[in-house]
Amino acid sequence: MKKFRLLAPGPTPVPPEVLLAMAEPVIHHRTPEFEALFAETRRRLQWLFQTDQDVLILAASGTGAMEGAVVNACSPGDRVLVIRGGKFGERWAEICQAYGLTVIPLEIPYGQAVDPADVAVLLRHDPRIAAVFATHSETSTGVLHDLEALAAIVKQTPALLVVDAITSLGVVDLPMDAWGVDVVVGASQKALMLPPGLAFAALSERAWAAAERARLPRYYLNFLTERRTQAKNQAAWTPAISLVAGLKAALGLLQAEGLPAIFARHERLARATRAGVTALGLTLFAEQPSPAVTAVKAPDGIDGEAIVRTLRDRHGISIAGGQGSMAGKIFRIATLGYADPYDVLTGIAALEFTLAELGYPVRLGDGLRAAQEVLQK
Ligand SMILES: *Cc1c(COP(=O)(O)O)cnc(C)c1O
């Protein structure tokens, strides 16, 4: 018998309450029953996004909402600034390029965070930039970018700030309206404690005005159509009904915990994880670490992919390796969503076994003790 555990930055474990909500018989979506479900779920999402704006619920993976953000914010020929410092920042650039936009890349070395002052300089030198595309928590490197400072800068310019918050939403504070973020994009399989399949997008007044003017081709992801329909508690196309039922349940659990407690829990679990791995002599990859995921450098002579594989095949634990050029060099342990101290301790204990199996010198318990000491406080 082997028990499987997800300690990856998506998909994340789903609580039993949410699994049960999704197991209910499928209802038809053009009914008052669905409208009531959708209305309550949309209200709860506004709470999570800390916004008075509509939060669109889309049947797509996170990338679908990212593509939707691009086609609804931009027009052919637009110049856009893309903060690249990992796979997901690069994805913004790829989507923008696919639609023929002129991408001005701001390259950030992997593992480092953007200096918002650099964005200010670029925006000053190029006042025609229509939008800045940013990643709040760069899951591929484990870096948390300073979105509040970035928003304060972009808000003073005509450019829109479009943010991939897929592993920051429900992990760290992101008061969209208060900070003046124009587009926030989320997905179900991260801190929202759901299976993959739903994506979310919220737009500021400025962003909705841009969506009215936007001239890139769009159909399935036309946010104007979606907003008009969702205002009536309907979805433009067939919604992922069972996932919406699960979303309502998941948001209920999150509301019962409360935002400050959710943010504190993630911070504490990530701190314990960092303490555990550093006590084993390993080095963190991110200079400004995200509480969603801890990226760790693979020790000299040990392939990061072997750590991921051994944890999975021998210990039943899925973590994540490095993506792209970081493959083999780092591994990533997530602490987001339905995660508690025992997930951290399980992960660290299994990592100790794994490292020992791969020939790295560990004293069993060193990482665990360091993690426990953080969790005991
Ligand atoms: C998971 C993730 C995505 C979304 O990827 P999908 O596979 O399309 O759901 C995008 N950005 C970040 C930062 C992520 O962590």
Side-chain angles (χ1 to χ4, degrees):
M1 195 279 255
K2 196 193 279 171
K3 196 162 168 177
F4 291 96
R5 293 177 171 86
L6 281 172
L7 293 181
T12 63
V14 179
E17 295 89 332
V18 177
L19 290 171
L20 283 171
M22 292 186 302
E24 291 281 327
V26 176
I27 58 172
H28 197 279
H29 55 293
R30 307 293 179 204
T31 56
E33 205 182 344
F34 179 79
E35 286 171 15
L37 165 67
F38 213 46
E40 179 58 24
T41 309
R42 290 173 63 241
R43 262 195 299 278
R44 292 181 184 183
L45 272 179
Q46 287 178 312
W47 164 82
L48 181 71
F49 277 69
Q50 304 187 61
T51 185
D52 293 330
Q53 299 290 342
D54 295 311
V55 182
L56 303 179
I57 304 175
L58 310 165
S61 85
T63 306
M66 293 173 74
E67 179 158 346
V70 171
V71 298
N72 286 279
C74 299
S75 293
D78 274 358
R79 298 168 65 77
V80 296
L81 175 60
V82 177
I83 300 168
R84 291 166 38 114
K87 275 316 269 184
F88 294 106
E90 287 160 17
R91 187 167 302 176
W92 275 134
E94 285 163 12
I95 299 169
C96 290
Q97 274 152 356
Y99 281 96
L101 303 179
T102 301
V103 171
I104 299 143
L106 174 52
E107 302 290 352
I108 312 294
Y110 285 2
Q112 292 180 27
V114 64
D115 180 352
D118 292 344
V119 174
V121 170
L122 285 166
L123 287 174
R124 206 161 34 233
H125 287 172
D126 193 345
R128 284 182 308 149
I129 290 173
V132 176
F133 288 87
T135 315
H136 192 186
S137 166
E138 176 50 82
T139 317
S140 67
T141 61
V143 166
L144 184 74
H145 292 279
D146 186 351
L147 183 60
E148 184 175 12
L150 198 60
I153 285 165
V154 180
K155 165 163 98 172
Q156 295 165 25
T157 74
L160 295 175
L161 177 58
V162 182
V163 176
D164 171 351
I166 292 177
T167 55
S168 67
L169 199 66
V171 175
V172 292
D173 199 18
L174 168 43
M176 172 181 169
D177 291 358
W179 286 357
V181 180
D182 293 299
V183 183
V184 173
V185 165
S188 54
Q189 78 274 25
K190 309 285 171 109
L192 274 85
M193 313 189 292
L194 286 160
L198 291 180
F200 314 103
L203 280 70
S204 68
E205 284 307 325
R206 246 166 39 129
W208 281 117
E212 297 282 352
R213 293 190 305 268
R215 288 295 168 263
L216 286 179
R218 54 187 155 163
Y219 186 80
Y220 182 73
L221 294 169
N222 187 328
F223 287 178
L224 298 172
T225 317
E226 207 58 69
R227 183 194 206 188
R228 251 191 323 272
T229 323
Q230 297 200 6
K232 293 180 274 183
N233 293 313
Q234 280 290 334
W237 325 113
T238 308
I241 299 163
S242 300
L243 286 172
V244 173
L247 174 59
K248 178 178 166 226
L251 288 167
L253 294 174
L254 293 174
Q255 284 191 325
E257 187 176 6
L259 289 177
I262 291 169
F263 303 148
R265 171 168 57 88
H266 283 92
E267 183 51 42
R268 178 165 168 258
L269 298 181
R271 241 186 312 119
T273 304
R274 287 177 221 139
V277 295
T278 49
L280 293 172
L282 303 178
T283 311
L284 302 176
F285 184 64
E287 69 172 21
Q288 209 168 286
S290 167
V293 58
T294 299
V296 186
K297 289 185 189 163
D300 281 344
I302 294 186
D303 179 11
E305 288 310 300
I307 296 174
V308 174
R309 207 168 37 240
T310 307
L311 273 168
R312 184 191 61 214
D313 294 346
R314 293 186 66 136
H315 304 284
I317 296 179
S318 280
I319 63 162
Q323 293 166 282
S325 63
M326 291 172 288
K329 297 186 185 138
I330 62 168
F331 61 92
R332 296 171 295 142
I333 305 174
T335 42
L336 83 165
Y338 187 50
D340 79 351
Y342 298 99
D343 292 311
V344 171
L345 297 175
T346 301
I348 297 292
L351 179 64
E352 292 183 353
F353 286 139
T354 296
L355 290 169
E357 285 155 11
L358 294 172
Y360 175 82
V362 281
R363 212 169 60 196
L364 292 182
D366 280 359
L368 268 178
R369 186 179 320 102
Q372 281 183 305
E373 278 166 4
V374 170
L375 294 168
Q376 195 176 38
K377 282 179 197 136

